[in-house]
Amino acid sequence: MNVAIDGPAGAGKSTIAKLVAKKLGLVYVDTGAMYRAVAIYLLDSGIDVNDKAAVAEKCKGANVDIKYEDGIQNVYLNGTNVTGRLREEAVGNTASVTSPVPEVRAQIFSLQRGLAERGGVIMDGRDIGTVVMPDADVKIYLTASSEVRATRRVKELQEKGEAANFEEIKRDIEERDHRDMTREISPLKQADDAILVDTSDMTIDQVVEKICSLCK
Ligand code: DC
């Protein structure tokens, strides 16, 4: 069985997908992490990440690989484990700017398809149910209001002892939504056969229960 989970930034996709994976014995594939790894490469290279032609050319040097170590997805960039840097705010914001570039998507697509073809995966992202796994057995569109998503992110940062400004984070989330939903290639949208799950007023356990029951 393959499960696709799409939705906007901060909807809880990775938290939920990890828990569902454990319950159903599936491999969790975080596709955002792949775009984030390319973003790290582009940031470190010092190019202007808003320059689409430069991104299209430079991204060819980013070789992203995924390895499962003790059941955890580790992301390697040109042989170096970059998993620890993936969640930095600058990396997420850059990934949102560089992921629409067709050359970046083409590079990541074959990695995603290879994992999907092995089967038994729960894959999350923006275009999984629509483009990467249009044949998935279960498709979920997971969302929550931008206020709720920003509140969750602030809490997450505070727990890590990092400074967090609610208004700034909410604005970043809304800008990211806009970019993800309006881009030309593989925009974020609910697949026709995806089930909408709005987690704004749900606990994590309730969401996991709901998705597991949809997979039966
Ligand atoms: O889910 P995330 O925040 O880790 O994703 C980082 C960025 O990567 C996000 O802004 C959009 C992009 N992305 C994408 O275009 N397609 C996917 N399947 C997953 C993520």
Side-chain angles (χ1 to χ4, degrees), residues 9 13 30-33 35-36 87 92 95-96 99 105 112 124-128 176 180 183:
K13 296 187 297 295
D30 171 1
T31 66
Y35 290 99
R36 285 171 184 261
R87 307 311 303 175
S96 165
S99 60
R105 301 205 77 78
Q112 295 169 341
D124 79 356
R126 303 293 189 285
D127 59 342
I128 309 306
R176 218 180 283 185
D180 290 351
R183 68 185 181 209

Side-chain angles (χ1 to χ4, degrees), residues 68-105:
Y68 290 91
E69 290 152 354
D70 298 325
I72 308 270
Q73 175 178 282
N74 277 294
V75 181
Y76 286 80
L77 172 63
N78 295 332
T80 301
N81 188 339
V82 292
T83 313
R85 288 183 61 194
L86 296 174
R87 307 311 303 175
E88 289 169 12
E89 290 298 304
V91 171
N93 288 332
T94 301
S96 165
V97 174
T98 56
S99 60
V101 175
E103 286 78 359
V104 172
R105 301 205 77 78

Side-chain angles (χ1 to χ4, degrees), residues 19-33:
L19 292 167
V20 173
K22 221 177 217 174
K23 279 207 160 186
L24 301 182
L26 300 170
V27 172
Y28 167 53
V29 180
D30 171 1
T31 66

Side-chain angles (χ1 to χ4, degrees), residues 132-203:
V132 180
M133 299 201 303
D135 48 353
D137 303 285
V138 178
K139 296 183 187 177
I140 308 289
Y141 189 84
L142 200 71
T143 190
S145 69
S146 57
E147 282 77 14
V148 168
R149 288 184 282 139
T151 304
R152 289 177 185 162
R153 183 70 184 137
V154 166
K155 199 165 155 243
E156 207 177 284
L157 289 169
Q158 284 170 344
E159 279 166 5
K160 284 200 273 179
E162 289 176 33
N165 177 307
F166 176 82
E167 285 307 326
E168 240 172 62
I169 288 181
K170 182 166 164 279
R171 195 194 56 224
D172 278 352
I173 281 179
E174 286 169 352
E175 280 176 11
R176 218 180 283 185
D177 284 357
H178 182 73
R179 278 197 296 269
D180 290 351
M181 289 172 179
T182 56
R183 68 185 181 209
E184 243 169 78
I185 301 182
S186 299
L188 168 65
K189 64 170 193 229
Q190 186 179 343
D192 293 339
D193 50 352
I195 295 151
L196 177 75
V197 179
D198 186 330
T199 70
S200 300
D201 298 313
M202 291 171 85
T203 64

